[in-house]
């Protein structure tokens, strides 16, 4: 059985031509039409594909499948962002977040169940790694929100998992989301956030796509970064920087550095000075993020915000130019940066 929603229109057509016994009945536009049903109308019941012959629809029902994913639980934040616990066909749960803000509506998708990279401030890391998501499981997270009448302008791969550790499926998902027969979302409105896996970035350079790249830096000093982001050991920042430069040269896309500011750990003048060396020669944005802690009270939240404001000043004084603060949304529903983690089935039943 083949996963129909993970295929491009060309791949759908090739599959039909290869596997359907009445090849003469296959019209060249069937690939496009089936793709449209799935990715533009979000119709996962192939028996409803009314412009496809009945016999071919039966073939699709017998020989292909579409992802079975559903919202297992939903949490709505005071700031209107919304988190879904999405149950996959094998019972695993990933979390995905809808963030409407001004004229933007962003979906933050997960690309893996759990993660193997063990960043110290991240709740997903605590789950360990379970498996990677298929392209269809990734794009279907976006469709869950669209089906409910929400609009979507941006997609960010900042949910559970390391996108470059699931490279092929993530790139396929990006191409599906970008396809004008489906959602047609501009590549420039899609962001991949990574700890900086060297082979993945090398491949991305050759992909020729103007996708936004966000590097989870969190500390510019290698031996200190490794404590926060253990991937620094095998994917060191000194090898990453020339690749980021090359990525910028090829795509002309600004590179974003993400930086969770942790009081007493990575918020000193030494860090801000070192950051100036990291960004040299790049068109960059340094995105400072307050530390999010599960169950954090308002006092801690305000304290962490103050720490970020102070570090921003330090960065500006050190000569850094494009420094922004990303005030996480959905903190009260654990939908913010570093807080995503699939609840187990018993928890999720209680929270529906
Ligand atoms: S921050 Fe990203 S890469 Fe690091 S453990 Fe969490 S999900 Fe994995």
């Amino acid at each position: 059985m083949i996963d129909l929603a993970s295929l491009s229109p060309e791949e759908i057509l090739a599959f039909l031509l290869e596997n359907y016994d009445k090849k003469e009945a296959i019209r060249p536009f069937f690939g496009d039409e089936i793709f449209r049903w799935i990715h533009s109308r979000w119709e996962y019941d192939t028996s409803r594909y009314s412009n496809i012959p009945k016999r071919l629809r039966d073939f699709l029902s017998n020989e292909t499948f579409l992802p079975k994913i559903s919202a297992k639980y939903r949490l709505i934040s005071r700031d209107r962002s919304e988190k879904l616990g999405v149950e996959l066909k094998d019972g695993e749960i990933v979390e995905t977040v809808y963030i409407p803000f001004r004229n933007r509506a962003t979906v933050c998708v997960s690309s893996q169940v759990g993660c193997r990279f063990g960043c110290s401030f991240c709740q997903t890391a605590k789950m360990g790694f379970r498996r990677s998501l298929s392209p269809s499981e990734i794009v279907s997270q976006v469709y869950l929100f669209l089906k409910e009448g929400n609009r979507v302008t941006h997609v960010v791969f900042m949910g559970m998992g390391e996108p470059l550790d699931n490279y092929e499926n993530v790139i396929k998902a990006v191409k599906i989301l970008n396809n004008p027969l489906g959602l047609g979302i501009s590549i420039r409105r899609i962001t991949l956030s990574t700890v900086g896996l060297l082979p993945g970035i090398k491949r991305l350079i050759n992909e020729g796509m103007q996708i936004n790249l966000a590097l989870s830096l969190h500390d510019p000093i290698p031996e200190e970064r490794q404590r926060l982001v253990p991937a620094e050991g095998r994917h060191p920042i000194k090898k990453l920087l020339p690749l980021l430069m090359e990525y910028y040269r090829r795509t002309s896309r600004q590179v974003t550095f993400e930086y969770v500011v942790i009081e007493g750990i990575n918020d000193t003048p030494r860090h801000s000075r070192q950051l100036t060396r990291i960004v040299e020669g790049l068109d960059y944005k340094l995105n400072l993020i307050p530390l999010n802690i599960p169950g954090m009270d308002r006092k801690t939240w305000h304290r962490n915000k103050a720490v970020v404001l102070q570090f921003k000043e330090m960065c500006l004084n050190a000569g850094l130019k494009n420094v922004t603060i990303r005030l996480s949304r959905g903190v009260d529903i654990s939908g913010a940066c570093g807080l995503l983690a699939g609840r187990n089935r018993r928890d999720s039943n209680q929270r529906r």
Side-chain angles (χ1 to χ4, degrees):
M1 294 273 266
I2 191 157
D3 175 2
L4 204 53
S6 286
L7 302 181
S8 67
E10 297 76 22
E11 287 168 334
I12 294 174
L13 186 62
F15 168 76
L16 297 180
L17 288 170
E18 200 169 310
N19 295 283
Y20 190 54
D21 57 359
K22 284 191 73 183
K23 294 190 189 357
E24 64 284 1
I26 303 292
R27 301 279 171 269
F29 59 85
F30 282 178
D32 287 3
E33 282 308 321
I34 293 170
F35 186 91
R36 254 197 208 107
W37 277 106
I38 302 168
H39 300 286
S40 176
R41 299 175 191 156
W42 319 303
E43 177 57 71
Y44 283 12
D45 179 353
T46 50
S47 70
R48 292 175 192 255
Y49 296 0
S50 51
N51 53 356
I52 302 293
K54 164 85 171 66
R55 192 168 178 278
L56 182 53
R57 277 184 267 154
D58 293 342
F59 167 81
L60 292 176
S61 308
N62 294 331
E63 302 299 327
T64 68
F65 69 92
L66 287 154
K68 275 203 171 64
I69 80 163
S70 56
K72 189 74 179 167
Y73 56 90
R74 176 192 308 266
L75 298 170
I76 299 176
S77 165
R78 280 187 294 271
D79 64 24
R80 295 195 303 126
S81 55
E82 192 173 327
K83 178 168 81 168
L84 294 184
V86 176
E87 185 170 20
L88 309 172
K89 68 172 188 303
D90 55 0
E92 293 285 6
I93 289 180
V94 290
E95 295 191 331
T96 181
V97 188
Y98 181 69
I99 310 152
F101 186 59
R102 297 193 180 131
N103 57 352
R104 280 183 173 220
T106 303
V107 179
C108 172
V109 294
S110 291
S111 55
Q112 295 181 315
V113 184
C115 183
R116 53 177 129 232
F117 290 92
C119 301
S120 64
F121 51 84
C122 172
Q123 294 305 306
T124 305
K126 297 199 169 80
M127 297 172 64
F129 175 73
R130 308 266 257 275
R131 72 171 174 87
S132 286
L133 267 56
S134 65
S136 64
E137 287 173 327
I138 296 170
V139 299
S140 297
Q141 295 170 53
V142 180
Y143 303 160
L144 282 176
F145 292 106
L146 287 166
K147 273 191 208 168
E148 294 176 346
N150 297 298
R151 69 189 188 103
V152 172
T153 61
H154 293 72
V155 175
V156 295
F157 286 76
M158 293 186 179
M160 292 161 60
E162 161 55 57
L164 296 185
D165 189 40
N166 182 18
Y167 188 91
E168 279 90 8
N169 290 351
V170 164
I171 294 301
K172 273 195 119 181
V174 166
K175 289 180 178 169
I176 289 172
L177 291 169
N178 173 244
N179 195 309
L181 296 171
L183 190 54
I185 192 160
S186 161
I187 289 282
R188 288 163 160 250
R189 291 181 170 206
I190 299 177
T191 301
L192 288 193
S193 171
T194 174
V195 286
L197 306 189
L198 297 169
I201 295 187
K202 282 182 193 155
R203 288 177 74 180
L204 208 53
I205 289 171
N206 294 320
E207 211 65 62
M209 294 194 298
Q210 283 195 309
I211 198 160
N212 297 309
L213 194 58
L215 177 77
S216 297
L217 179 64
H218 307 309
D219 199 310
I221 301 163
E223 49 286 7
E224 292 182 19
R225 181 175 187 249
Q226 193 164 350
R227 273 180 240 136
L228 297 175
V229 182
E232 167 69 24
R234 294 182 62 190
H235 307 273
I237 200 79
K238 69 169 188 297
K239 289 193 179 165
L240 259 170
L241 289 176
L243 294 181
L244 294 183
M245 195 68 85
E246 179 64 9
Y247 189 77
Y248 168 57
R249 203 181 61 75
R250 294 265 192 107
T251 61
S252 309
R253 298 305 286 159
Q254 188 180 61
V255 174
T256 300
F257 292 97
E258 291 170 335
Y259 201 100
V260 172
V261 186
I262 310 173
E263 190 171 16
I265 302 286
N266 61 1
D267 65 338
T268 70
R270 195 165 55 95
H271 293 96
S272 59
R273 281 196 302 275
Q274 186 62 21
L275 277 170
T276 59
R277 288 176 205 130
I278 296 271
V279 300
E280 220 175 292
L282 275 170
D283 183 10
Y284 70 93
K285 179 165 82 176
L286 175 63
N287 220 346
L288 303 178
I289 308 164
L291 176 65
N292 293 313
I293 305 164
M296 173 170 62
D297 57 25
R298 281 205 79 70
K299 197 170 149 213
T300 314
W301 186 81
H302 281 296
R303 175 72 208 157
N304 290 349
K305 200 172 131 190
V307 168
V308 172
L309 286 168
Q310 201 177 353
F311 189 59
K312 181 181 177 188
E313 278 310 303
M314 223 179 264
C315 289
L316 293 174
N317 290 338
L320 289 155
K321 295 266 177 308
N322 202 355
V323 187
T324 55
I325 294 180
R326 191 171 92 211
L327 281 183
S328 299
R329 299 177 62 80
V331 175
D332 54 331
I333 54 167
S334 290
C337 178
L339 295 182
L340 298 187
R343 296 176 196 285
N344 63 33
R345 284 177 173 207
R346 204 185 54 199
D347 282 351
S348 58
N349 284 336
Q350 286 164 355
R351 299 189 76 101
R352 257 189 298 182

